[in-house]
């Protein structure tokens, strides 16, 4: 079992320092949040308790376990203690109860450190921003990278590009039907149901599911909301579709990238370029098998571009970057990374057929920090997928 890079950050930088903030481990489903925390707990020297919440428990349960921790600390003569609560979002109004107990310990100088984690990103963030502002720090976990899937499961580059980065599904890739069912039923559907529908006001759940499936199948393509409406059975309106796309983005499932421009109005009005956060989602709703895709240059080109986009979205999530695309008439740049006041342009090229003149036009118009090709005639895809994109801005 590998240790993800968040391990040292959580163990050394957060839990071993003095009590200051509630630590919150946040990330999509099936990326190993609970596994990470258990690995850390095996190494900490702080006395701790690990609890898992469920929907049948009331908020007073948080009060009860917290008081239990205080008594244990008092009776054992401990100077500090760690309280870990998993799936905390399952408890109604959980953040108010956590806030009350945390503030009480702060007032009384009781040295109980707190670590929270949960599977519903939207619900966790809502509770943090509503009740716990100024009291928490986030540790953002992202989908597994190519390097991690290679180390843990022996994935080669082509396997990673097609099957993506869900560790739980890695052992099923020899049976693609079974692999698709697992990703669809055990990952995608719970993410939609638990992380989106149960946390937001969605008046047309069937429409949101359609948008998700269509969006995944069009990953790395531009698709106007008007054209998307034409493919939906219960279309609603463009505003509704845009709102549902935003919810899917907040759940780290599917993003609609906007065109890079000098003013916000042009960005918001642009045709979205659809992009999954994990290429497994792209191919779960695809009719093409791994063999079919890998032997078709056009299909494979889309796969590679989508895999690069998924990696960029995950890196951007970690480092608070923005990801755009750029297009002017027939010229385009697949991805534009914006960090602070600097930008980097990236064109993904899988064979000799795709032109890259857009990079030259983009470079002349916006003077980016870098503008380069990933793939054919450029940086190798395998190398780029293992690059810390912060280095592009050095």
């Amino acid at each position: 079992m590998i240790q993800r890079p968040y391990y040292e950050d959580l163990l050394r930088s957060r839990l071993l320092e003095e009590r200051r903030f509630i630590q919150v481990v946040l990330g999509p489903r099936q990326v190993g949040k609970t596994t990470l925390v258990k690995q850390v707990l095996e190494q900490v020297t702080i006395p701790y308790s690990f609890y898992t919440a469920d929907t049948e428990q009331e908020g007073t349960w948080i009060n009860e376990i917290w008081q239990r921790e205080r008594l244990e600390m008092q009776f054992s003569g401990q100077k500090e203690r760690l309280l870990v609560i998993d799936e905390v979002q399952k408890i109604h109004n959980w953040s108010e109860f956590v806030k009350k107990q945390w503030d009480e310990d702060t007032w009384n100088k009781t040295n109980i450190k707190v670590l929270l984690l949960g599977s519903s990103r939207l619900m966790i963030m809502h509770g943090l921003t509503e009740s716990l502002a100024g009291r928490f720090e986030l540790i953002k976990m992202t989908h597994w990278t190519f390097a991690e899937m290679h180390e843990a499961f022996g994935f080669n580059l082509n396997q990673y590009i097609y099957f993506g980065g869900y560790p739980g599904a890695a052992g099923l890739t020899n049976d693609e039907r079974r692999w698709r069912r697992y990703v669809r039923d055990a990952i995608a559907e719970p993410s939609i149901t638990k992380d989106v529908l149960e946390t937001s006001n969605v008046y047309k759940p069937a429409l949101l599911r359609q948008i998700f499936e269509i969006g995944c199948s069009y990953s790395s393509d531009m698709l106007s909301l008007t054209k998307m409406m034409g493919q939906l059975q219960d279309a609603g309106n463009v505003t509704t579709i845009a709102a549902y796309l935003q919810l899917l983005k907040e759940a780290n499932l599917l993003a609609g990238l906007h065109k890079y421009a000098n003013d916000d109005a042009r960005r918001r009005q642009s045709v979205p370029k659809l992009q999954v956060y994990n290429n497994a989602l792209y191919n779960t709703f695809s009719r093409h098998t791994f063999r079919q895709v890998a032997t078709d240059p056009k299909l494979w080109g889309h796969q590679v571009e989508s895999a690069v986009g998924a990696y960029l979205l995950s890196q951007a999530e970690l480092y608070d970057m923005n990801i755009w695309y750029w297009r002017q008439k027939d010229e385009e740049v697949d991805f534009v990374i914006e960090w602070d006041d600097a930008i980097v342009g990236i064109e993904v090229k899988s064979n000799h057929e795709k032109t890259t003149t857009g990079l030259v036009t983009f470079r002349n118009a916006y003077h980016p920090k870098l503008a380069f090709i990933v793939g054919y005639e450029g940086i190798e895809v395998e190398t780029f997928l293992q690059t810390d994109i912060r280095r592009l801005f050095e």
Side-chain angles (χ1 to χ4, degrees):
M1 185 179 295
I2 71 171
Q3 289 181 350
R4 302 200 70 192
Y6 317 97
Y7 174 88
E8 284 297 325
D9 188 29
L10 179 58
L11 177 62
R12 304 296 177 192
S13 303
R14 306 293 182 91
L15 295 184
L16 297 185
E17 67 182 15
E18 66 181 29
R19 178 186 184 273
R20 188 175 302 161
F21 301 110
I22 298 169
Q23 300 300 326
V24 183
V25 178
L26 196 63
R29 287 179 179 268
Q30 298 290 315
V31 298
K33 296 184 293 295
T34 303
T35 299
L36 170 76
V37 169
K38 289 183 176 179
Q39 286 177 331
V40 169
L41 292 179
E42 290 176 357
Q43 299 299 320
V44 297
T45 57
I46 308 170
Y48 70 85
S49 293
F50 184 97
Y51 298 91
T52 301
D54 62 52
T55 53
E56 296 181 359
Q57 289 162 331
E58 300 291 337
T60 53
W61 174 79
I62 292 178
N63 297 343
E64 293 170 1
I65 64 171
W66 213 298
Q67 184 59 30
R68 191 183 309 162
E69 296 303 296
R70 292 184 183 123
L71 292 173
E72 180 67 28
M73 190 174 176
Q74 179 182 348
F75 293 156
S76 302
Q78 298 166 354
K79 294 183 179 180
E80 62 178 350
R81 192 167 179 84
L82 173 62
L83 168 61
V84 184
I85 307 177
D86 194 4
E87 299 288 359
V88 68
Q89 84 285 341
K90 291 185 177 180
I91 299 176
H92 177 66
N93 208 25
W94 63 271
S95 57
E96 288 295 335
F97 290 93
V98 169
K99 175 186 175 182
K100 181 178 183 300
Q101 299 303 320
W102 175 263
D103 287 352
E104 185 175 326
D105 281 351
T106 300
W107 178 261
N108 294 323
K109 298 182 179 180
T110 303
N111 194 15
I112 294 180
K113 300 175 180 179
V114 178
L115 174 59
L116 305 177
L117 58 160
S119 56
S120 176
R121 173 188 172 89
L122 290 174
M123 194 174 291
I124 290 288
M125 285 305 301
H126 178 75
L128 293 175
T129 55
E130 286 289 318
S131 303
L132 294 170
R135 297 172 175 82
F136 69 91
E137 277 187 303
L138 294 179
I139 294 178
K140 297 179 181 179
M141 293 183 65
T142 63
H143 293 283
W144 282 44
T145 64
F146 165 62
E148 290 173 316
M149 293 298 286
H150 175 71
E151 179 183 351
F153 306 106
F155 269 32
N156 60 37
L157 178 64
N158 287 2
Q159 286 174 310
Y160 179 76
I161 287 174
Y162 184 87
F163 293 109
Y166 283 123
L172 304 177
T173 56
N174 288 332
D175 184 344
E176 290 186 37
R177 289 179 181 271
R178 184 180 178 190
W179 172 81
R180 282 193 177 89
R181 285 196 299 269
Y182 176 83
V183 174
R184 183 176 60 248
D185 299 338
I187 301 177
E189 180 56 29
S191 296
I192 293 293
T193 303
K194 301 293 184 181
D195 301 348
V196 180
L197 297 181
E198 291 186 3
T199 62
S200 309
N201 294 322
V202 177
Y203 298 105
K204 296 185 176 183
L207 175 61
L208 184 137
R209 285 189 170 90
Q210 287 182 60
I211 293 171
F212 173 64
E213 293 183 15
I214 290 174
C216 287
S217 65
Y218 274 88
S219 185
S220 81
D221 280 333
M222 283 175 275
L223 183 65
S224 72
L225 300 185
T226 303
K227 289 184 178 179
M228 185 180 288
M229 271 199 319
Q231 299 189 39
L232 298 170
Q233 296 175 358
D234 182 14
N237 54 51
V238 170
T239 303
T240 301
I241 295 173
Y244 287 177
L245 268 177
Q246 181 62 31
L247 290 176
L248 293 170
K249 179 181 179 181
E250 292 173 4
N252 284 167
L253 293 170
L254 174 72
L257 305 181
H258 291 291
K259 176 183 174 181
Y260 182 78
N262 286 323
D263 61 274
D264 290 339
R266 290 176 63 191
R267 294 179 181 185
R268 288 194 300 267
Q269 294 170 6
S270 62
V271 174
K273 177 177 181 176
L274 300 171
Q275 176 61 58
V276 293
Y277 276 80
N278 190 316
N279 247 27
L281 299 174
Y282 182 7
N283 291 303
T284 295
F285 300 102
S286 171
R287 297 170 296 174
H288 302 292
T289 66
F290 180 30
R291 181 185 295 274
Q292 289 171 333
V293 169
T295 55
D296 186 312
K298 185 176 181 179
L299 292 176
W300 189 247
H302 282 293
Q303 295 283 331
V304 174
E305 184 177 333
S306 180
V308 170
Y311 181 64
L312 289 176
L313 283 180
S314 290
Q315 291 274 294
E317 178 77 11
L318 286 177
Y319 306 124
D320 297 320
M321 299 173 175
N322 293 315
I323 306 296
W324 317 86
Y325 73 91
W326 177 82
R327 188 170 189 176
Q328 179 177 289
K329 297 182 179 178
D330 294 331
E331 294 186 313
E332 65 178 305
V333 174
D334 291 323
F335 301 104
V336 178
I337 314 169
E338 183 182 34
W339 197 27
D340 295 332
D341 295 327
I343 58 173
V344 169
I346 297 175
E347 181 69 17
V348 183
K349 185 178 181 181
S350 57
N351 56 58
H352 68 280
E353 296 178 354
K354 187 175 182 181
T355 63
T356 56
T357 59
L359 276 179
V360 177
T361 305
F362 178 78
R363 188 184 292 118
N364 292 335
Y366 295 100
H367 308 290
K369 182 84 173 178
L370 288 173
F372 61 95
I373 297 170
V374 172
Y376 184 78
E377 297 181 329
I379 297 174
E380 292 186 359
V381 175
E382 184 169 346
T383 300
F384 182 78
L385 291 179
Q386 300 178 78
T387 299
D388 183 338
I389 62 175
R390 290 176 297 179
R391 296 182 59 190
L392 304 178
F393 293 85
E394 293 176 353

